[in-house]
């Protein structure tokens, strides 16, 4: 029987749980603005904007300086390393600016996926080397939470037991390292929406993956009250011929979570997984109206589903700044309503209904 050697003091536990609670306070979720330089290149290409460091700074500055209507909507913002050290036009570091707006600063700390030998194209995530030191530095530089993405995929032969166990262990190691430094880890085991599997298969796989993740977190003595989960919603594969209702998706997702995620976890911040902006809001809303008991906050950690229309409105042009911010505010307000089960869909912009699916999505 393992002996308990507590690695967190009561004060450290309180700090972690307070940070997690602030991020998922009622009506609030996360803006994921941690796209790597390569991912931004693809997004900018679609609007014919040049992928320069200055353009990346200008675009993210627009998101971070949107008016006070976003204050009740955004509890935390995940940054990419470069963005963490960039400044507003006024010379204020973005991290300082966000903190003044009462938004918790987060940082992406993984180093991307690499192949898992002997599997059918499965992966694990790298970045544990040096993570202890990097977390210490990021905490000093203003980050209070972090994100690490593991990726699994559904095919007739996957996910394999090896991929499930390996990714669960990597997530648990990452989580315990973050907590030692006062950083709340967001646990992201994403099951990709690629494939033609049905809703039932996705629910089954999601339950198996989450069960393995929480077993690993327990084995690694991770303090659950000071963590957040960022899972996929339970949906059918993108190539599935049957279309399921938002209520069916909500029931399957909440059921999978109820079977696997301990009530000690303060919040579940869903990734949008290539759903259109509108779809991501409607599904989140349906979950918060679901008749099943939900002991955790169910909210959002959206990248594309908060930014697609904003990016299209901006087009890399200074004069479109206001229009870009208005589109972002619109989506932030929609998701603020959705995570309280109060969202009523009102006609969407052309971009809002566009699927944001990218096959085999890598950041």
């Amino acid at each position: 029987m393992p002996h308990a050697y507590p690695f967190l003091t009561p004060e450290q536990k309180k700090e972690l749980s307070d940070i997690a609670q602030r991020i998922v306070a009622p009506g609030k979720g996360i803006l994921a603005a941690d796209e790597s330089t390569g991912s931004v290149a693809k997004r900018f290409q679609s609007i014919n904007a040049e992928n320069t460091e200055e353009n990346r700074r200008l675009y993210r500055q627009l998101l971070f300086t949107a008016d006070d209507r976003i204050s009740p909507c955004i509890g935390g913002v995940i940054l990419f390393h470069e963005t963490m050290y960039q400044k507003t036009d006024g010379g204020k570091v973005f991290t300082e600016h966000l903190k003044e707006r009462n938004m918790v600063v987060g940082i992406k700390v993984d180093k991307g996926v690499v192949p898992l030998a002997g599997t059918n194209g499965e992966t694990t995530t790298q970045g544990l080397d040096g993570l202890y030191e990097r977390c210490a530095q990021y905490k000093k530089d203003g980050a209070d939470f972090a994100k690490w993405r593991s990726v699994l995929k559904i095919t007739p032969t996957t996910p394999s037991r090896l991929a499930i166990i390996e990714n669960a262990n990597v997530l648990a190691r990452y989580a315990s390292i973050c907590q030692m430094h006062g950083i709340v880890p967001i646990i992201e085991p994403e099951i990709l929406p690629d494939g033609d599997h049905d809703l039932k298969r996705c629910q089954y796989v999601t339950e198996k993956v989450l069960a393995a993740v929480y077993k690993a977190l327990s084995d690694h003595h991770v303090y659950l009250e000071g963590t957040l989960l960022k899972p996929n919603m339970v949906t059918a594969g993108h190539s599935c011929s049957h279309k399921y209702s938002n209520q069916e998706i909500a029931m399957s997702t909440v059921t999978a979570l109820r079977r696997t995620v301990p009530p000690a976890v303060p919040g579940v911040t869903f990734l949008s997984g290539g759903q259109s902006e509108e779809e991501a809001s409607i599904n989140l809303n349906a979950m918060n109206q679901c008749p099943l008991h939900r002991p955790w906050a169910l909210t959002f950690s959206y990248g594309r589903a908060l930014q697609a229309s904003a990016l299209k409105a901006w087009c890399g042009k200074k004069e479109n700044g206001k229009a870009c911010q208005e589109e972002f505010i619109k989506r932030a307000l929609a998701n603020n309503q959705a995570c309280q089960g109060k969202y009523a869909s009102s006609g969407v912009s052309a971009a809002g209904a566009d699927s944001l699916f990218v096959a085999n999505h890598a950041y």
Side-chain angles (χ1 to χ4, degrees):
M1 187 60 205
H3 183 74
Y5 297 99
F7 72 97
L8 295 172
T9 64
E11 293 72 32
Q12 288 173 311
K13 286 182 174 177
K14 185 179 181 330
E15 183 194 8
L16 289 167
S17 80
D18 286 353
I19 293 165
Q21 299 281 359
R22 274 180 61 208
I23 296 169
V24 297
K28 293 189 176 184
I30 296 170
L31 164 64
D34 61 323
E35 301 88 353
S36 64
T37 309
S39 283
V40 175
K42 284 179 234 164
R43 311 272 158 86
F44 278 14
Q45 203 177 348
S46 71
I47 56 163
N48 291 320
E50 204 186 337
N51 184 25
T52 61
E53 182 176 348
E54 177 58 5
N55 267 348
R56 292 191 293 274
R57 185 193 72 82
L58 285 169
Y59 170 62
R60 283 169 171 150
Q61 175 175 254
L62 285 171
L63 301 178
F64 303 161
T65 58
D67 68 39
D68 282 344
R69 283 174 289 169
I70 66 165
S71 298
C73 314
I74 308 293
V77 180
I78 313 172
L79 305 178
F80 184 61
H81 180 85
E82 171 188 273
T83 321
M84 180 108 183
Y85 300 98
Q86 287 176 327
K87 297 175 178 170
T88 63
D89 289 345
K92 183 165 284 176
V93 182
F94 280 154
T95 51
E96 282 305 306
H97 171 77
L98 292 168
K99 285 186 173 204
E100 281 173 12
R101 302 197 69 181
N102 206 21
M103 293 173 193
V104 185
V105 173
I107 178 76
K108 187 222 313 261
V109 296
D110 71 67
K111 297 282 180 100
V113 299
V114 288
L116 199 49
T119 63
N120 180 15
E122 294 181 285
T123 57
T124 183
T125 302
Q126 59 186 354
L128 288 178
D129 278 7
L131 182 60
Y132 189 90
E133 293 76 14
R134 279 186 292 135
C135 280
Q137 189 61 49
Y138 284 138
K139 180 71 176 180
K140 211 183 282 175
D141 296 339
D144 284 318
F145 75 103
K147 189 195 94 168
W148 176 291
R149 177 176 180 254
S150 283
V151 184
L152 296 131
K153 59 179 190 170
I154 299 177
T155 69
T157 59
T158 64
S160 63
R161 176 140 180 83
L162 173 66
I164 292 174
I165 296 300
E166 160 61 14
N167 280 290
N169 267 308
V170 160
L171 282 165
R173 272 296 294 134
Y174 140 79
S176 79
I177 292 168
C178 285
Q179 289 193 331
M180 284 190 246
H181 293 286
I183 288 176
V184 166
I186 290 191
I187 317 291
E188 181 178 5
E190 177 176 8
I191 299 164
L192 294 175
D194 309 54
D196 60 2
H197 52 275
D198 62 10
L199 190 65
K200 213 157 83 189
R201 170 100 171 114
C202 181
Q203 184 185 327
Y204 176 82
V205 171
T206 300
E207 287 174 11
K208 294 302 172 201
V209 167
L210 291 178
V213 166
Y214 282 99
K215 173 67 170 91
L217 292 173
S218 168
D219 289 345
H220 286 254
H221 315 295
V222 172
Y223 174 61
L224 295 183
E225 289 85 345
T227 66
L228 294 169
L229 176 68
K230 178 170 178 171
N232 50 285
M233 293 183 190
V234 173
T235 60
H238 268 283
S239 315
C240 179
S241 52
H242 184 79
K243 288 288 165 259
Y244 295 87
S245 71
N246 307 109
Q247 285 69 29
E248 288 173 305
I249 287 168
M251 275 303 275
S252 293
T253 304
V254 175
T255 299
L257 295 174
R258 278 164 49 91
R259 290 174 177 170
T260 54
V261 182
V265 176
V268 176
T269 62
F270 291 101
L271 58 94
S272 51
Q275 298 176 59
S276 72
E277 291 177 326
E278 189 59 11
E279 220 183 335
S281 300
I282 291 171
N283 282 333
L284 180 59
N285 189 64
M287 282 178 224
N288 281 292
Q289 291 181 340
C290 172
L292 300 171
H293 175 63
R294 304 174 301 280
W296 352 255
L298 295 185
T299 184
F300 58 92
S301 177
Y302 293 168
R304 287 168 288 171
L306 275 170
Q307 298 179 48
S309 293
L311 197 59
K312 263 187 188 161
W314 179 54
C315 276
K317 298 186 172 73
K318 195 178 172 132
E319 62 271 22
N320 293 342
K322 196 85 196 91
C324 165
Q325 289 181 324
E326 284 303 319
E327 289 295 340
F328 169 55
I329 292 164
K330 203 183 292 177
R331 290 326 308 169
L333 288 168
N335 290 305
N336 157 272
Q337 294 294 291
C339 68
Q340 300 176 80
K342 298 176 186 168
Y343 181 56
S345 179
S346 57
V348 294
S349 65
D354 291 350
S355 168
L356 303 171
F357 174 64
V358 178
N360 210 7
H361 181 55
Y363 279 92

